[in-house]
Amino acid sequence: MKLEEVIFELYRMAETKKWDGKRTDEAIAAAIEGMEKIWETRQADRRKSAMVRANKKQPRTWC
């Protein structure tokens, strides 16, 4: 399953409040938790790549 498909499914759960065929508020909680986890993971990946880029030596330019 692709990330876009996961996000789409989480939004569907949040909108319809249906999870495993049952209509429940737990569906919203699960969808929100899933989206928060995806957000946290993506932010951590961005921080890691930013640190790698920052640690690379920048070429010096002499005027």
Side-chain angles (χ1 to χ4, degrees):
M1 194 177 248
K2 294 181 182 179
L3 180 62
E4 292 84 18
E5 293 170 342
V6 171
I7 292 172
F8 180 74
E9 184 65 19
L10 291 172
Y11 275 115
R12 186 198 61 75
M13 281 175 38
E15 287 178 353
T16 62
K17 293 186 180 182
K18 286 187 180 178
W19 190 19
D20 292 335
K22 299 174 185 171
R23 191 169 178 87
T24 177
D25 288 334
E26 284 184 37
I28 282 190
I32 290 171
E33 287 176 23
M35 287 186 238
E36 286 175 349
K37 184 64 178 169
I38 290 171
W39 176 260
E40 290 170 4
T41 303
R42 293 183 97 190
Q43 291 299 316
D45 289 345
R46 287 182 181 169
R47 274 188 236 112
K48 285 179 189 175
S49 63
M51 291 178 105
V52 168
R53 284 191 302 259
N55 288 332
K56 289 183 179 179
K57 280 193 168 185
Q58 298 294 321
R60 291 187 180 182
T61 55
W62 298 93
C63 296

